[in-house]
Amino acid sequence: MEPSKVVQEFWDRMQARDWKGLGELLAEDVVVEWPVSGERIEGRGNFLSVNSEYPEGWAIKVLRLLPTGDVVVSEVEVPHETMGVHRVVSFWTVRAGKIVDGREYWTELGSDPSPQWRAAYVRRM
């Protein structure tokens, strides 16, 4: 399966809470880093546990996928019933149909306040 299809399927299975199916897309020794929170998830089992135990109320909306060889960049919106709307930009490396590593940048929309000095040059989204 091409890398972009693997990543699309990754997000589809995540949305479906198909943890077994999601695991089939991950290398056993997958490493996923979350630099914003300073965490590294090592191994398929740990990655599946972190995601399957996340508090319910969330959804996944894939905004775009940008494939470049074995690396696929995804931008995803994750609204949560009580925690607000998050965006995540992820860099996934796919080899032989499996995600072998990833780096994800999660943020809550509007959580990084803009400084007053930029007000004359920008418009709020």
Side-chain angles (χ1 to χ4, degrees):
M1 191 179 334
E2 332 177 348
S4 61
K5 291 189 190 314
V6 171
V7 173
Q8 180 65 58
E9 193 64 25
F10 168 92
W11 289 117
D12 291 346
R13 292 179 190 188
M14 183 82 74
Q15 172 61 34
R17 279 61 163 180
D18 176 6
W19 307 118
K20 182 179 183 308
L22 183 64
E24 293 169 357
L25 299 174
L26 303 172
E28 186 175 333
D29 59 350
V30 66
V31 174
V32 179
E33 296 178 338
W34 291 347
V36 175
S37 60
E39 297 172 282
R40 175 179 290 126
I41 306 165
E42 298 175 336
R44 178 191 304 143
N46 287 334
F47 185 82
L48 293 172
S49 293
V50 165
N51 285 283
S52 66
E53 294 179 26
Y54 195 85
E56 266 303 329
W58 52 271
I60 300 287
K61 179 182 178 187
V62 176
L63 302 175
R64 69 176 114 183
L65 297 176
L66 303 169
T68 58
D70 288 348
V71 176
V72 179
V73 179
S74 61
E75 180 185 7
V76 175
E77 187 167 274
V78 184
H80 191 282
E81 293 171 355
T82 61
M83 293 187 226
V85 180
H86 289 79
R87 282 274 173 89
V88 57
V89 174
S90 308
F91 298 85
W92 303 108
T93 303
V94 180
R95 292 195 184 103
K98 304 267 188 198
I99 294 173
V100 297
D101 66 52
R103 181 171 284 200
E104 297 190 291
Y105 295 89
W106 287 80
T107 187
E108 185 177 357
L109 292 184
S111 66
D112 187 12
S114 59
Q116 185 59 39
W117 68 265
R118 286 199 307 240
Y121 310 111
V122 302
R123 216 168 20 112
R124 298 294 303 161
M125 295 174 48

Coordinates of all heavy atoms in Angstrom, one line a residue, residues 25-85:
L25 N -1.2 -1.4 11.0 CA -0.5 -0.4 10.2 C 0.8 0.1 10.8 O 1.5 0.9 10.2 CB -1.4 0.8 10.0 CG -2.7 0.5 9.2 CD1 -3.6 1.7 9.2 CD2 -2.5 0.0 7.8
L26 N 1.1 -0.3 12.1 CA 2.2 0.2 12.8 C 3.3 -0.9 12.9 O 3.0 -2.1 13.2 CB 1.8 0.6 14.2 CG 0.7 1.6 14.4 CD1 0.3 1.7 15.8 CD2 1.2 2.9 13.8
A27 N 4.6 -0.5 12.7 CA 5.7 -1.4 13.0 C 5.7 -1.7 14.5 O 5.3 -0.9 15.3 CB 7.0 -0.8 12.6
E28 N 6.1 -2.9 14.8 CA 6.1 -3.3 16.3 C 7.0 -2.3 17.1 O 6.6 -2.0 18.2 CB 6.7 -4.7 16.4 CG 6.6 -5.2 17.8 CD 7.0 -6.7 18.0 OE1 6.9 -7.4 17.0 OE2 7.5 -7.0 19.0
D29 N 8.1 -1.8 16.5 CA 9.0 -0.9 17.2 C 8.8 0.6 16.8 O 9.7 1.4 16.9 CB 10.4 -1.3 17.0 CG 10.8 -1.3 15.6 OD1 10.0 -1.2 14.7 OD2 12.0 -1.4 15.3
V30 N 7.6 0.9 16.4 CA 7.2 2.3 16.0 C 7.6 3.3 17.2 O 7.5 2.9 18.3 CB 5.8 2.4 15.6 CG1 4.8 2.2 16.8 CG2 5.5 3.8 15.0
V31 N 8.1 4.4 16.8 CA 8.4 5.5 17.7 C 7.6 6.7 17.3 O 7.8 7.2 16.1 CB 9.9 5.8 17.8 CG1 10.2 7.0 18.7 CG2 10.6 4.6 18.3
V32 N 6.8 7.3 18.2 CA 6.1 8.5 17.9 C 6.5 9.6 18.9 O 6.4 9.3 20.1 CB 4.6 8.3 17.8 CG1 3.8 9.6 17.5 CG2 4.2 7.2 16.8
E33 N 6.9 10.7 18.4 CA 7.3 11.8 19.3 C 6.2 12.9 19.3 O 5.7 13.3 18.3 CB 8.6 12.4 18.9 CG 9.7 11.4 19.0 CD 11.1 11.9 18.6 OE1 11.2 12.8 17.8 OE2 12.1 11.3 19.0
W34 N 6.0 13.5 20.5 CA 5.1 14.6 20.7 C 6.0 15.8 21.3 O 6.0 15.9 22.5 CB 4.0 14.3 21.6 CG 3.0 13.3 21.0 CD1 2.8 12.9 19.7 CD2 1.9 12.6 21.7 NE1 1.8 12.0 19.6 CE2 1.2 11.8 20.8 CE3 1.5 12.6 23.1 CZ2 0.2 11.0 21.2 CZ3 0.5 11.8 23.4 CH2 -0.2 11.1 22.5
P35 N 6.7 16.5 20.5 CA 7.6 17.6 21.0 C 6.9 18.6 21.9 O 7.5 19.1 22.8 CB 8.2 18.2 19.7 CG 8.1 17.1 18.7 CD 6.8 16.4 19.0
V36 N 5.7 19.0 21.6 CA 5.0 20.0 22.4 C 4.9 19.6 23.8 O 5.0 20.4 24.7 CB 3.6 20.4 21.7 CG1 2.9 21.4 22.6 CG2 3.8 20.9 20.3
S37 N 4.6 18.3 24.1 CA 4.4 17.9 25.5 C 5.7 17.2 26.0 O 5.8 16.7 27.1 CB 3.2 16.9 25.6 OG 3.4 15.8 24.8
G38 N 6.7 17.1 25.1 CA 8.0 16.5 25.5 C 7.9 15.0 25.7 O 8.6 14.4 26.6
E39 N 7.0 14.2 25.0 CA 6.9 12.8 25.2 C 7.3 12.0 23.9 O 7.2 12.5 22.8 CB 5.4 12.5 25.5 CG 4.9 13.2 26.7 CD 3.4 13.0 26.9 OE1 2.6 13.7 26.2 OE2 3.0 12.1 27.7
R40 N 7.8 10.8 24.2 CA 8.1 9.8 23.2 C 7.4 8.5 23.5 O 7.5 8.0 24.6 CB 9.6 9.6 23.1 CG 10.0 8.5 22.1 CD 11.5 8.3 22.0 NE 12.1 9.5 21.4 CZ 13.1 10.2 21.9 NH1 13.6 9.9 23.0 NH2 13.6 11.2 21.3
I41 N 6.6 8.0 22.5 CA 5.9 6.8 22.7 C 6.7 5.7 21.9 O 6.9 5.8 20.7 CB 4.5 6.9 22.1 CG1 3.8 8.1 22.8 CG2 3.7 5.6 22.4 CD1 2.5 8.5 22.1
E42 N 7.2 4.7 22.6 CA 8.0 3.7 22.0 C 7.2 2.4 22.0 O 6.8 1.9 23.0 CB 9.3 3.5 22.7 CG 10.1 4.8 22.7 CD 11.4 4.7 23.5 OE1 11.4 3.9 24.5 OE2 12.3 5.4 23.2
G43 N 7.0 1.8 20.7 CA 6.4 0.5 20.6 C 4.9 0.6 20.2 O 4.2 1.5 20.7
R44 N 4.5 -0.3 19.4 CA 3.1 -0.4 19.0 C 2.1 -0.5 20.2 O 1.1 0.2 20.2 CB 2.9 -1.7 18.1 CG 1.5 -1.9 17.6 CD 1.3 -3.2 17.0 NE 2.2 -3.4 15.9 CZ 2.7 -4.6 15.6 NH1 2.5 -5.7 16.3 NH2 3.5 -4.7 14.6
G45 N 2.4 -1.3 21.1 CA 1.5 -1.5 22.3 C 1.3 -0.2 23.1 O 0.1 0.1 23.4
N46 N 2.3 0.5 23.3 CA 2.2 1.8 24.0 C 1.4 2.8 23.2 O 0.6 3.5 23.8 CB 3.6 2.3 24.4 CG 4.2 1.5 25.5 OD1 3.6 0.9 26.3 ND2 5.6 1.5 25.5
F47 N 1.7 2.9 21.9 CA 0.9 3.8 21.1 C -0.5 3.5 21.1 O -1.4 4.4 21.2 CB 1.5 3.8 19.7 CG 0.8 4.9 18.8 CD1 1.3 6.2 18.9 CD2 -0.2 4.6 18.0 CE1 0.7 7.2 18.1 CE2 -0.8 5.6 17.2 CZ -0.4 6.9 17.3
L48 N -0.9 2.2 21.0 CA -2.3 1.8 21.0 C -2.9 2.1 22.3 O -4.1 2.6 22.4 CB -2.5 0.4 20.6 CG -2.1 0.0 19.2 CD1 -2.1 -1.5 19.0 CD2 -3.0 0.7 18.2
S49 N -2.2 1.9 23.4 CA -2.8 2.2 24.8 C -3.0 3.6 25.0 O -4.1 4.0 25.5 CB -1.8 1.6 25.8 OG -1.8 0.2 25.8
V50 N -2.0 4.5 24.6 CA -2.2 5.9 24.8 C -3.5 6.4 24.0 O -4.2 7.2 24.6 CB -1.0 6.7 24.3 CG1 -1.3 8.2 24.1 CG2 0.2 6.5 25.2
N51 N -3.7 5.9 22.9 CA -4.8 6.4 22.1 C -6.1 5.7 22.5 O -7.2 6.4 22.5 CB -4.5 6.2 20.6 CG -3.6 7.2 20.1 OD1 -3.9 8.4 19.9 ND2 -2.3 6.9 20.0
S52 N -6.1 4.5 22.8 CA -7.4 3.8 23.2 C -7.9 4.2 24.5 O -9.1 4.2 24.8 CB -7.2 2.3 23.1 OG -6.3 1.8 24.1
E53 N -7.0 4.7 25.4 CA -7.4 5.1 26.7 C -7.6 6.6 26.8 O -8.0 7.1 27.9 CB -6.3 4.7 27.7 CG -6.2 3.2 27.9 CD -5.2 2.8 28.9 OE1 -4.8 3.5 29.8 OE2 -4.7 1.6 28.7
Y54 N -7.5 7.4 25.7 CA -7.7 8.8 25.7 C -9.2 9.0 26.0 O -10.1 8.3 25.5 CB -7.4 9.4 24.3 CG -7.3 10.9 24.3 CD1 -6.1 11.5 24.7 CD2 -8.4 11.7 24.0 CE1 -6.0 12.9 24.8 CE2 -8.3 13.0 24.0 CZ -7.2 13.7 24.4 OH -7.1 15.0 24.5
P55 N -9.6 10.0 26.8 CA -11.0 10.2 27.1 C -11.9 10.4 25.9 O -11.5 11.2 25.0 CB -11.0 11.5 28.0 CG -9.6 11.6 28.5 CD -8.7 10.9 27.5
E56 N -13.0 9.7 25.9 CA -13.9 9.7 24.7 C -14.5 11.1 24.5 O -14.4 12.0 25.4 CB -15.0 8.7 24.9 CG -14.7 7.4 24.2 CD -14.4 7.4 22.7 OE1 -15.0 8.3 22.0 OE2 -13.7 6.6 22.2
G57 N -15.1 11.3 23.3 CA -15.7 12.6 23.0 C -15.1 13.2 21.8 O -15.4 14.4 21.5
W58 N -14.1 12.6 21.2 CA -13.3 13.1 20.1 C -13.7 12.6 18.7 O -14.3 11.5 18.6 CB -11.8 13.0 20.3 CG -11.4 11.6 20.6 CD1 -11.3 10.9 21.8 CD2 -11.0 10.6 19.6 NE1 -10.9 9.6 21.7 CE2 -10.7 9.4 20.4 CE3 -10.9 10.6 18.3 CZ2 -10.3 8.2 19.7 CZ3 -10.5 9.4 17.6 CH2 -10.2 8.2 18.4
A59 N -13.3 13.3 17.7 CA -13.5 12.9 16.3 C -12.3 13.3 15.5 O -11.5 14.1 16.0 CB -14.8 13.5 15.7
I60 N -12.1 12.7 14.4 CA -11.0 12.9 13.5 C -11.5 13.5 12.2 O -12.4 12.9 11.6 CB -10.2 11.6 13.2 CG1 -9.7 11.0 14.5 CG2 -9.1 11.9 12.2 CD1 -8.5 11.7 15.1
K61 N -10.9 14.6 11.7 CA -11.3 15.1 10.4 C -9.9 15.4 9.7 O -9.2 16.3 10.1 CB -12.1 16.4 10.5 CG -12.4 17.0 9.2 CD -13.2 18.3 9.3 CE -13.4 19.0 8.0 NZ -14.0 20.3 8.1
V62 N -9.6 14.6 8.7 CA -8.4 14.8 7.9 C -8.6 16.0 7.0 O -9.5 16.0 6.2 CB -8.0 13.5 7.1 CG1 -6.8 13.8 6.3 CG2 -7.8 12.3 8.0
L63 N -7.7 17.0 7.2 CA -7.8 18.2 6.4 C -6.9 18.1 5.1 O -7.3 18.6 4.0 CB -7.3 19.4 7.2 CG -8.1 19.7 8.5 CD1 -7.5 20.8 9.2 CD2 -9.6 19.9 8.1
R64 N -5.8 17.4 5.2 CA -4.9 17.2 4.1 C -3.8 16.2 4.3 O -3.4 16.0 5.5 CB -4.3 18.5 3.5 CG -3.3 19.1 4.4 CD -2.7 20.4 3.8 NE -3.1 21.5 4.6 CZ -2.8 22.7 4.3 NH1 -2.1 23.0 3.2 NH2 -3.1 23.7 5.1
L65 N -3.4 15.6 3.3 CA -2.2 14.7 3.3 C -1.3 15.1 2.2 O -1.7 15.4 1.1 CB -2.6 13.2 3.0 CG -3.6 12.5 4.0 CD1 -4.0 11.2 3.4 CD2 -3.0 12.4 5.3
L66 N 0.0 15.2 2.6 CA 1.0 15.6 1.6 C 2.1 14.6 1.6 O 3.0 14.5 2.5 CB 1.6 17.0 2.0 CG 0.6 18.1 2.2 CD1 1.3 19.3 2.8 CD2 0.1 18.5 0.8
P67 N 2.1 13.7 0.6 CA 3.1 12.6 0.5 C 4.4 13.1 -0.2 O 4.3 13.9 -1.2 CB 2.4 11.6 -0.3 CG 1.4 12.3 -1.2 CD 1.0 13.5 -0.4
T68 N 5.5 12.7 0.3 CA 6.8 12.9 -0.3 C 7.6 11.7 -0.1 O 8.4 11.6 0.9 CB 7.5 14.2 0.3 OG1 7.7 14.0 1.7 CG2 6.8 15.4 0.1
G69 N 7.5 10.7 -1.0 CA 8.2 9.5 -0.9 C 7.7 8.7 0.3 O 6.5 8.5 0.4
D70 N 8.6 8.3 1.2 CA 8.2 7.5 2.3 C 7.6 8.3 3.5 O 7.1 7.7 4.4 CB 9.4 6.7 2.9 CG 9.9 5.6 2.0 OD1 9.1 5.2 1.1 OD2 11.0 5.0 2.2
V71 N 7.7 9.6 3.4 CA 7.2 10.5 4.4 C 5.9 11.1 4.0 O 5.7 11.6 2.8 CB 8.2 11.6 4.8 CG1 7.6 12.6 5.8 CG2 9.5 11.0 5.3
V72 N 4.9 11.1 4.9 CA 3.6 11.7 4.6 C 3.3 12.7 5.7 O 3.4 12.3 6.9 CB 2.5 10.6 4.5 CG1 1.1 11.3 4.3 CG2 2.8 9.6 3.5
V73 N 3.0 13.9 5.3 CA 2.6 14.9 6.3 C 1.0 14.9 6.3 O 0.4 15.0 5.3 CB 3.1 16.3 5.9 CG1 2.7 17.4 6.9 CG2 4.6 16.3 5.8
S74 N 0.5 14.9 7.5 CA -1.0 15.0 7.6 C -1.3 16.2 8.5 O -0.6 16.5 9.5 CB -1.6 13.7 8.2 OG -1.2 13.4 9.4
E75 N -2.4 16.9 8.2 CA -3.0 17.9 9.0 C -4.4 17.4 9.4 O -5.2 17.1 8.5 CB -3.1 19.3 8.3 CG -3.7 20.3 9.2 CD -3.8 21.7 8.5 OE1 -3.6 21.7 7.2 OE2 -4.2 22.6 9.2
V76 N -4.7 17.3 10.7 CA -5.9 16.8 11.1 C -6.6 17.7 12.2 O -5.8 18.3 13.0 CB -5.7 15.4 11.7 CG1 -6.9 14.8 12.4 CG2 -5.1 14.4 10.7
E77 N -7.9 17.8 12.1 CA -8.6 18.5 13.2 C -9.3 17.5 14.1 O -9.8 16.5 13.6 CB -9.6 19.4 12.6 CG -10.3 20.3 13.6 CD -11.1 21.4 12.9 OE1 -10.5 22.5 12.6 OE2 -12.3 21.2 12.7
V78 N -9.1 17.7 15.4 CA -9.7 16.8 16.4 C -10.6 17.6 17.4 O -10.1 18.1 18.4 CB -8.5 16.1 17.1 CG1 -9.1 15.0 18.1 CG2 -7.6 15.4 16.2
P79 N -11.9 17.7 17.1 CA -12.8 18.3 18.0 C -13.1 17.4 19.1 O -13.2 16.2 18.9 CB -14.0 18.7 17.2 CG -14.0 17.7 16.0 CD -12.5 17.4 15.8
H80 N -13.2 17.9 20.4 CA -13.5 17.1 21.5 C -14.6 17.8 22.3 O -14.6 19.0 22.4 CB -12.3 16.9 22.4 CG -12.4 15.9 23.5 ND1 -13.2 16.1 24.7 CD2 -12.0 14.6 23.6 CE1 -13.2 15.1 25.4 NE2 -12.4 14.1 24.8
E81 N -15.6 17.0 22.7 CA -16.8 17.5 23.4 C -16.5 18.4 24.6 O -17.2 19.4 24.8 CB -17.7 16.4 23.8 CG -18.3 15.6 22.7 CD -19.0 14.3 23.2 OE1 -19.0 14.0 24.4 OE2 -19.6 13.7 22.3
T82 N -15.4 18.1 25.3 CA -15.2 18.9 26.5 C -13.8 19.6 26.5 O -13.6 20.5 27.3 CB -15.2 18.0 27.8 OG1 -14.3 17.0 27.7 CG2 -16.6 17.5 28.0
M83 N -12.9 19.2 25.6 CA -11.5 19.7 25.6 C -11.2 20.7 24.5 O -10.1 21.1 24.3 CB -10.5 18.6 25.6 CG -10.5 17.7 26.8 SD -9.1 16.5 26.7 CE -10.0 15.1 27.3
G84 N -12.3 21.0 23.7 CA -12.1 22.0 22.6 C -11.6 21.3 21.3 O -11.6 20.1 21.2
V85 N -11.2 22.2 20.4 CA -10.8 21.8 19.1 C -9.2 21.8 19.0 O -8.6 22.8 19.3 CB -11.4 22.6 18.0 CG1 -10.9 22.2 16.6 CG2 -12.9 22.6 18.1

